[in-house]
């Protein structure tokens, strides 16, 4: 038998370290991968007890677990952009903030919200070097189209994701600057950018100047940072083996 034993005192201590690092900046607790293996709801409960009440997920099922198990009002942000209609319908049913990462995503979400006679809340995802997620700088006109023509979407935030904050400070800085430049261009067109965010765990600990309006934290809660030693974060789990003694057969 194998079990993952969680040291919840260490987990709470890590949460406090993240909170002191974030200061007044709101924290989106990322619960992807079944709450980094701890379980979405158990991890969310501990986070909420410690005062963190915004959650980010990458699967609809994770949002559903939260909504059906005691998290009816907390903001939930879906980090995976999609134009899949059934998925978007579910996100709206669950009152989850969607991510719009392409013009197709925006058209789909806007259409569904319009049909329902509602306005869907979304964050825009901008690609600043990851190469896969979000609007690229070349598609900038399409970002403006979302603001100008998608009347059933309310953009309440904008984010980007750093691909190598844990190891490459120069690349991260370049992404940060690209992000700020894009935000400046959106503002220059007279649009509100809402809550802007880019930091994952590594970026928050390496360069708190990048905090902006919010941070998105997952692995730091579990002490899973390659440079953990310098942060005071602790590992929170260990695998324990229970040896089963089998009766010896005698014949
Ligand atoms: C996983 C993820 C995070 C959190 O990253 P950590 O390094 O675990 O803190 C933040 N933002 C996005 C988009 C993610 O996918």
């Amino acid at each position: 038998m194998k079990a993952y034993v969680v040291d919840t005192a260490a987990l709470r201590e890590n949460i406090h370290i993240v909170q002191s690092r974030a200061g007044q900046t709101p924290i989106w607790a990322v619960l992807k991968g079944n709450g980094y293996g701890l379980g979405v709801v158990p991890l969310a409960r501990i986070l909420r007890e410690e005062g963190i009440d915004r959650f980010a997920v990458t699967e609809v099922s994770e949002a559903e677990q939260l909504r059906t198990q005691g998290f009816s009002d907390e903001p939930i942000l879906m980090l995976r952009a999609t134009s899949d209609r059934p998925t978007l319908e579910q996100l709206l049913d669950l009152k989850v903030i969607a991510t719009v990462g392409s013009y197709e995503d925006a058209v789909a979400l806007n259409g569904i919200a319009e049909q329902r006679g509602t306005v869907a809340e979304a964050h825009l995802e901008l690609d600043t070097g990851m190469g896969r997620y979000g609007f690229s700088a070349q598609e900038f006109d399409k970002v403006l189209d979302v603001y100008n023509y998608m009347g059933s979407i309310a953009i309440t935030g904008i984010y980007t994701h750093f691909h190598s904050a844990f190891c490459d400070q120069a690349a991260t800085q370049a992404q940060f600057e690209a992000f700020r430049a894009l935000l400046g261009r959106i503002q220059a067109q007279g649009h509100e950018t809402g809550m802007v965010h880019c930091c994952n765990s590594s970026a928050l600990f390496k360069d708190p100047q990048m905090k902006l309006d919010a941070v998105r934290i997952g692995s730091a809660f579990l002490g899973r940072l390659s440079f953990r030693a310098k942060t005071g974060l602790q590992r929170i789990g260990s695998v324990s083996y229970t040896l089963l003694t089998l009766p010896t057969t005698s014949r």
Side-chain angles (χ1 to χ4, degrees), residues 108-128:
L109 182 61
N110 191 65
I112 292 169
E114 199 165 35
Q115 266 173 8
R116 292 180 169 214
T118 179
V119 173
E121 187 177 350
H123 285 201
L124 287 178
E125 183 173 24
L126 303 183
D127 187 303
T128 54

Side-chain angles (χ1 to χ4, degrees), residues 31-245:
L31 302 172
K32 68 185 172 196
N34 191 31
Y36 289 72
L38 300 192
V40 170
V41 170
L43 179 56
R45 285 202 180 117
I46 292 175
L47 288 158
R48 188 169 61 182
E49 281 167 17
E50 299 299 334
I52 294 178
D53 58 2
R54 288 165 197 276
F55 302 100
V57 299
T58 56
E59 301 294 336
V60 176
S61 61
E62 294 164 345
E64 200 164 25
Q65 287 178 61
L66 289 172
R67 286 289 186 246
T68 55
Q69 293 178 64
F71 295 81
S72 48
D73 296 323
E74 287 78 2
I76 301 177
L77 173 62
M78 168 53 119
L79 292 171
R80 196 155 43 75
T82 183
S83 60
D84 180 63
R85 293 185 62 94
T87 304
L88 291 170
E89 297 270 9
Q90 283 179 294
L91 293 176
L92 288 183
D93 289 342
L94 293 166
K95 296 199 203 67
V96 171
I97 304 166
T99 285
V100 166
S102 71
Y103 195 66
E104 294 67 45
D105 296 344
V107 170
L109 182 61
N110 191 65
I112 292 169
E114 199 165 35
Q115 266 173 8
R116 292 180 169 214
T118 179
V119 173
E121 187 177 350
H123 285 201
L124 287 178
E125 183 173 24
L126 303 183
D127 187 303
T128 54
M130 191 97 177
R132 271 182 300 160
Y133 304 110
F135 289 89
S136 67
Q138 296 92 287
E139 292 176 301
F140 187 72
D141 289 347
K142 298 206 167 157
V143 174
L144 297 182
D145 287 347
V146 176
Y147 280 99
N148 291 327
Y149 305 120
M150 303 282 166
S152 299
I153 300 178
I155 304 297
T156 56
I158 307 184
Y159 69 95
T160 195
H161 190 49
F162 295 143
H163 55 75
S164 45
F166 62 99
C167 64
D168 189 340
Q169 204 122 11
T172 304
Q173 187 66 39
Q175 280 195 266
F176 183 66
E177 270 149 34
F179 185 49
R180 297 254 295 218
L182 290 169
L183 296 175
R185 287 172 68 185
I186 294 169
Q187 283 156 349
Q189 298 292 320
H191 302 297
E192 296 275 351
T193 47
M195 175 189 265
V196 296
H197 47 110
C198 57
C199 275
N200 57 5
S201 297
S202 294
L204 175 64
F205 280 89
K206 293 213 164 183
D207 192 348
Q209 310 259 47
M210 295 182 182
K211 284 192 292 192
L212 301 178
D213 298 336
V215 294
R216 304 185 307 271
I217 304 300
S219 51
F221 295 132
L222 293 95
R224 291 193 199 145
L225 286 189
S226 52
F227 52 93
R228 178 168 51 87
K230 285 175 248 167
T231 61
L233 296 166
Q234 309 165 53
R235 288 234 180 81
I236 64 152
S238 58
V239 176
S240 81
Y241 293 90
T242 312
L243 291 176
L244 293 177
T245 318

